[in-house]
Amino acid sequence: MVRDMLFSKEGNKTPLQSMVLIDTLQYMGLDHLFKEEIGSTLSSIYDNFTHQRDHGRHNLFESSLFFRLFREHGYSVSPKMLKKFIDKNGEFKLASSKDIKGLMSLYEASHLNIGEDILRKGKEFSSKHLWDSIEWLDNKHANQVKETLEHPYHMSIQRYKARRYISMHQDDERGCKDVVFELAKSEFNAVQLLHQRELNAILSWWKKAGLAQELSFVRDQPLKWYMWPLTMVPQPHHSKCRIELTKAIAFIYIIDDIFDVYGTLDELSLFTQAINKWDISAINNLPNYMKVCFNALYNVTNEIAEITLKEYGWNPINTLSKSWGKLCNAFLQEAKWFASKQIPNKDEYLRNAVTSSGVFIVIVHLFFLMGQGLTFENIQHIENDPSFVSKSGTILRLWDDLGSAKDENQKGFDGSYMELYMKENQECTAKEAQEHVMLMISGTWDALNKESFTQSSFPQPLINATLNLARMVRVMYSYNDDNHHLPMLDDYIFSLLHHPL
């Protein structure tokens, strides 16, 4: 019924109306239900666009929306179409400064930057005038502007954005669109119930594993660990994937705590050797707490390998075990730096810290659990830390190192890029160093965007999951300075897991 209502009269819709419809479905988290219709509609609009001679008749809203939608969906589009809004001095025309709808569309489009100066200027221009507009807009429109500024679509987790969009617009006059809103709410609530059942399964596994008791010094945060897979691959058909990936993520945190807060350097060296050998007999010389960790990790990793073999006919145990060795090697390097008081330069530190972020562990396990694109070439490529993975790791590490990211239960020291940057630039203040790191994060996002929009080797669902991981970094590492809590994460947990629409 909804499908017929939205798309059966597609020929009667203008391209702008069709783009607004597709955009709305994305904002409401319903686009996955209409993939085929959205794909054919966008293809038709793009074909017509490429045959047009006059693109100058489109306003700022339409031009920005066109650019964003088609770049999001993998089409080759250039932001040069925005040049008609630039004055002779190379700046956006002030005539657009009161076009709130156009500015919001431009601001959203600017986050799909792959290093283009016009999008950087568009972000600065739209951001300034949108913040200024809040002073004179009515409450409803001011809240919509603030929502756009604080939660731009490309930088947000879609389910979180959908929940906020539906709540903000559910009292609008909608007419025939009522059924679409009801579908969106029903879809959101149904998936939320599935996620709640998965969390219960994870809590049961964690309790049965007994690791919080046997390794009392490690973080006991299964809910936090589950939030990574929940937001990376939220679709219902990835249920088993989310549960198994959470188990792998748990061990990233556990091993991090072993290296940071408990193990001696000699013990850590033995543990790293054992992980690299990936032989159960290699643990004989380890202290008991390390034997417990190794045994549990060994079993979980083999279970994941067996799932992949059974479902997709590919045994990834060699790649998975090598990834854990690579992680421990990076952790050990940091432990050696700290024990010897040897201070690496900032670039040497960051190269190693991208690995110790654990992002590549997450993506490697996800690659096999999703089961798409399993070829020898892709497996060799993913073992060598492809750029889209390392860029996400860089974003995580830099956010973690910004200074406010002091985990509430973590007492160890594992270095900081900002600290090393200030040592190498002694005239630099803490504020200037923080601004430098934020610029690095912004530049890395541009590079990650470019990778995600242009690479063709890995399946798009894996790329989208990697983008979602990068989007969640700010949520996971924006600590409250007063009490070391994570208010953004608390909001995500409440919105996505506990509060139905």
Side-chain angles (χ1 to χ4, degrees):
M1 174 186 169
V2 177
R3 192 180 311 274
D4 292 338
M5 183 186 74
L6 294 178
F7 292 100
S8 64
K9 296 181 180 179
E10 190 58 39
N12 295 330
K13 286 187 174 71
T14 66
L16 177 58
Q17 289 172 330
S18 295
M19 289 191 297
V20 169
L21 169 62
I22 292 168
D23 196 37
T24 302
L25 291 173
Q26 291 187 169
Y27 270 85
M28 297 172 77
L30 293 174
D31 52 305
H32 68 285
L33 299 178
F34 306 98
K35 277 187 176 181
E36 188 175 323
E37 291 84 357
I38 288 173
S40 62
T41 301
L42 288 176
S43 177
S44 176
I45 294 172
Y46 187 78
D47 288 344
N48 290 334
F49 175 83
T50 56
H51 290 98
Q52 286 179 11
R53 293 183 179 180
D54 178 21
H55 298 149
R57 58 185 173 81
H58 304 303
N59 60 27
L60 181 60
F61 170 77
E62 185 171 359
S63 295
S64 300
L65 176 60
F66 179 95
F67 168 77
R68 177 168 64 84
L69 277 181
F70 282 90
R71 178 163 282 189
E72 280 175 352
H73 286 266
Y75 287 82
S76 178
V77 288
S78 168
K80 288 180 181 179
M81 64 178 64
L82 299 173
K83 277 192 173 182
K84 55 180 169 286
F85 306 105
I86 300 290
D87 64 23
K88 61 183 180 181
N89 296 318
E91 304 296 332
F92 276 82
K93 297 174 183 176
L94 281 178
S96 300
S97 64
K98 301 297 183 186
D99 177 8
I100 302 304
K101 190 176 179 182
L103 289 172
M104 290 170 70
S105 186
L106 175 61
Y107 184 76
E108 293 281 17
S110 71
H111 288 85
L112 279 72
N113 202 340
I114 58 174
E116 295 131 323
D117 193 53
I118 191 171
L119 291 180
R120 178 188 60 78
K121 289 183 176 181
K123 184 178 180 181
E124 292 173 356
F125 177 81
S126 57
S127 175
K128 176 189 183 307
H129 291 291
L130 285 172
W131 280 114
D132 290 346
S133 74
I134 292 174
E135 298 293 323
W136 51 266
L137 287 170
D138 61 66
N139 284 340
K140 176 183 175 181
H141 291 97
N143 286 335
Q144 290 175 359
V145 166
K146 192 174 181 183
E147 173 69 15
T148 296
L149 288 165
E150 293 181 348
H151 303 284
Y153 182 82
H154 183 66
M155 305 301 289
S156 301
I157 296 297
Q158 189 187 40
R159 273 184 62 76
Y160 180 77
K161 187 71 176 175
R163 177 189 177 96
R164 296 180 67 88
Y165 182 89
I166 294 166
S167 298
M168 182 170 283
H169 292 273
Q170 62 184 351
D171 295 326
D172 293 354
E173 293 184 18
R174 299 194 302 268
C176 66
K177 291 184 180 178
D178 276 341
V179 68
V180 182
F181 269 76
E182 291 308 312
L183 174 63
K185 288 195 283 187
S186 174
E187 179 78 4
F188 183 93
N189 291 339
V191 175
Q192 186 180 74
L193 286 173
L194 173 62
H195 290 165
Q196 289 171 355
R197 290 196 295 271
E198 292 168 5
L199 176 60
N200 287 334
I202 288 162
L203 293 174
S204 176
W205 163 78
W206 180 243
K207 183 178 180 179
K208 185 177 180 181
L211 294 174
Q213 290 72 44
E214 295 194 71
L215 305 174
S216 58
F217 57 89
V218 303
R219 282 166 282 186
D220 182 4
Q221 300 172 324
L223 171 57
K224 180 178 178 180
W225 304 333
Y226 174 61
M227 290 304 291
W228 286 110
L230 181 148
T231 49
M232 289 174 66
V233 282
Q235 299 84 1
H237 64 280
H238 286 311
S239 183
K240 183 185 289 187
C241 176
R242 283 187 291 275
I243 293 172
E244 297 305 319
L245 186 59
T246 302
K247 296 176 185 178
I249 290 171
F251 282 98
I252 298 174
Y253 283 86
I254 291 168
I255 295 171
D256 185 31
D257 287 342
I258 286 175
F259 275 82
D260 270 4
V261 303
Y262 201 80
T264 68
L265 188 59
D266 287 343
E267 290 173 344
L268 297 175
S269 296
L270 290 173
F271 183 74
T272 301
Q273 290 172 19
I275 293 291
N276 277 284
K277 287 181 180 177
W278 202 254
D279 182 348
I280 202 73
S281 64
I283 68 172
N284 294 333
N285 295 326
L286 296 179
N288 187 61
Y289 76 95
M290 286 184 167
K291 290 179 181 177
V292 169
C293 178
F294 185 98
N295 274 319
L297 173 65
Y298 188 85
N299 290 334
V300 164
T301 307
N302 279 305
E303 287 169 10
I304 291 173
E306 288 170 11
I307 289 170
T308 305
L309 178 61
K310 182 178 179 181
E311 295 195 5
Y312 309 115
W314 202 294
N315 189 342
I317 191 61
N318 288 334
T319 302
L320 297 183
S321 60
K322 280 195 288 188
S323 72
W324 288 109
K326 186 176 175 181
L327 179 70
C328 290
N329 292 341
F331 281 153
L332 183 62
Q333 179 61 71
E334 291 174 347
K336 288 178 177 177
W337 282 334
F338 181 59
S340 67
K341 307 292 190 224
Q342 176 188 353
I343 300 175
N345 65 52
K346 65 183 189 323
D347 296 326
E348 184 182 9
Y349 162 80
L350 187 58
R351 278 193 299 273
N352 189 75
V354 168
T355 301
S356 69
S357 73
V359 165
F360 80 98
I361 286 270
V362 177
I363 302 304
V364 166
H365 281 72
L366 184 59
F367 171 62
F368 287 107
L369 284 167
M370 293 178 85
Q372 299 180 35
L374 293 179
T375 65
F376 283 110
E377 292 77 14
N378 278 348
I379 290 170
Q380 286 182 328
H381 194 190
I382 208 158
E383 286 182 354
N384 292 314
D385 208 11
S387 184
F388 73 93
V389 177
S390 62
K391 295 292 186 292
S392 297
T394 301
I395 290 168
L396 188 151
R397 178 52 65 198
L398 291 175
W399 263 110
D400 188 11
D401 284 0
L402 266 176
S404 61
K406 178 64 178 176
D407 192 291
E408 65 271 23
N409 293 320
Q410 193 175 17
K411 301 180 180 64
F413 170 86
D414 59 355
S416 162
Y417 180 87
M418 209 168 102
E419 178 184 337
L420 295 172
Y421 179 81
M422 292 180 70
K423 283 184 182 295
E424 294 179 25
N425 298 271
Q426 296 191 1
E427 75 289 350
C428 183
T429 66
K431 182 180 179 182
E432 289 169 339
Q434 189 174 43
E435 289 172 351
H436 173 76
V437 172
M438 290 303 295
L439 280 174
M440 287 182 67
I441 292 172
S442 178
T444 307
W445 257 109
D446 290 352
L448 177 59
N449 282 339
K450 188 172 185 178
E451 283 289 320
S452 66
F453 298 142
T454 59
Q455 81 83 37
S456 58
S457 176
F458 289 97
Q460 195 59 42
L462 183 70
I463 303 300
N464 292 340
T466 307
L467 284 170
N468 280 336
L469 184 152
R471 290 169 179 136
M472 273 302 285
V473 165
R474 186 168 67 102
V475 176
M476 290 290 198
Y477 290 93
S478 291
Y479 283 83
N480 183 309
D481 289 333
D482 294 331
N483 55 24
H484 301 301
H485 285 165
L486 291 162
M488 288 180 70
L489 179 59
D490 291 341
D491 182 38
Y492 267 65
I493 290 170
F494 178 76
S495 298
L496 298 182
L497 271 173
H498 299 312
H499 187 45
L501 281 166

